[in-house]
Amino acid sequence: MRKTYARRVAVEDVSLEVYPGEVVGIVGESGSGKSTLLRILNLEEVPDSGHYVLNIDSPFRGQNLLNLSRFDRRSVQIRHIGVVYQNPHLGLRMRFTSSGNVAERLLIAGERSYGALREAARTSLAASEFPLNRMDDPPIVLSGGMQQRVQLARALALKPAVLLLDEPTTGLDVSIQALVMDTLKHLQRELHLAIVLVSHDLGVIRTLADRVMVMRGGHVVERGLTDQILEDPQHPYTQQLVHARL
């Protein structure tokens, strides 16, 4: 894939494959292109060139999603891609109820029965280990960790093919980070999700990711198994990243 803004290259010659049940981590400094890549994977951005194919049960199976109309890309985004943002304000309506945030995604997808919406929201929140006695509280009164669980429930409500995580533990206390990571590991095992995880925290990457891709200046400079990359980095930039966090 390639993506430029004016004369600045944000992503250049980047390829990525992720399989069901696998977590691929993306690391790199600010401006490395990882956030741009995540927006492309969420169909928020269309690159200048490239292919994006999801193995999904839909009329768009096997097609290059980047060539679809805006309406069809939006349909794929809603039904087959889940995203959890670093900033919950980007992924939630902070003054809606938590259950309403989850139900909204189902409503957009076409569900109209109040009872079905309520039950599906409850099920999704429970799967994200959100306390159901708080499901009618709005996210604005919840802790950061609980807000992330609501985002997770919303993202997973339609059982997407791929889950995109953008710095999901940044800004959380260490103990809350551990709880969120435990929830992510549990969901990944139970739902056999394909997950792309962007994080600057190599501890999070080590805990969650099976493979790692290191980006710098819009390019991939190194990729491989997580233990291999973090224990024996080959590229000087990766060595710098790893040693800076020892």
Side-chain angles (χ1 to χ4, degrees):
M1 290 185 184
R2 186 174 197 271
K3 179 66 179 178
T4 58
Y5 298 101
R7 296 183 179 181
R8 183 177 69 85
V9 176
V11 170
E12 178 75 67
D13 195 27
V14 173
S15 63
L16 170 67
E17 291 184 354
V18 57
Y19 300 96
E22 182 182 41
V23 181
V24 174
I26 304 175
V27 299
E29 62 193 355
S30 296
S32 63
K34 59 187 189 297
S35 293
T36 298
L37 178 59
L38 208 69
R39 289 195 298 272
I40 292 171
L41 295 177
N42 195 38
L43 297 174
E44 297 173 62
E45 298 265 9
V46 177
D48 305 326
S49 61
H51 259 71
Y52 182 10
V53 177
L54 284 179
N55 185 20
I56 53 179
D57 184 16
S58 89
F60 307 115
R61 183 187 182 99
Q63 294 188 40
N64 182 4
L65 303 180
L66 303 175
N67 291 337
L68 300 179
S69 68
R70 180 178 296 181
F71 176 83
D72 286 340
R73 287 200 307 272
R74 177 63 172 160
S75 176
V76 172
Q77 180 191 48
I78 290 170
R79 293 179 178 276
H80 302 292
I81 303 171
V83 61
V84 174
Y85 297 96
Q86 174 184 343
N87 183 351
H89 288 260
L90 297 177
L92 299 174
R93 296 183 184 270
M94 300 302 287
R95 297 186 183 278
F96 277 27
T97 64
S98 294
S99 59
N101 269 279
V102 179
E104 182 187 34
R105 189 169 180 87
L106 299 159
L107 190 64
I108 293 171
E111 179 59 65
R112 291 293 180 265
S113 165
Y114 173 81
L117 288 168
R118 180 77 174 175
E119 185 55 33
R122 175 186 292 272
T123 299
S124 192
L125 286 165
S128 299
E129 300 181 4
F130 182 87
L132 295 180
N133 63 325
R134 304 292 302 276
M135 66 184 288
D136 290 322
D137 290 352
I140 198 169
V141 305
L142 301 175
S143 68
M146 290 177 71
Q147 289 174 355
Q148 292 300 62
R149 291 175 193 274
V150 178
Q151 277 209 87
L152 264 175
R154 179 182 169 90
L156 298 175
L158 291 171
K159 299 180 174 57
V162 61
L163 177 64
L164 308 175
L165 303 174
D166 184 10
E167 303 278 7
T169 62
T170 297
L172 301 179
D173 292 341
V174 174
S175 60
I176 303 301
Q177 282 188 22
L179 291 173
V180 171
M181 286 194 291
D182 283 346
T183 299
L184 288 169
K185 286 191 291 185
H186 170 73
L187 288 170
Q188 189 264 340
R189 287 193 303 267
E190 290 293 313
L191 302 178
H192 206 55
L193 295 167
I195 297 177
V196 178
L197 165 66
V198 166
S199 180
H200 72 278
D201 189 330
L202 296 186
V204 172
I205 293 294
R206 186 187 295 275
T207 299
L208 295 177
D210 301 296
R211 291 188 289 121
V212 177
M213 193 165 78
V214 183
M215 295 188 67
R216 185 184 191 190
H219 294 80
V220 177
V221 299
E222 191 166 1
R223 67 174 82 215
L225 297 175
T226 301
D227 288 345
Q228 168 196 334
I229 296 297
L230 297 186
E231 297 297 334
D232 187 24
Q234 299 300 302
H235 193 278
Y237 175 68
T238 311
Q239 293 171 357
Q240 177 185 334
L241 279 181
V242 171
H243 294 155
R245 287 162 173 78
L246 292 178

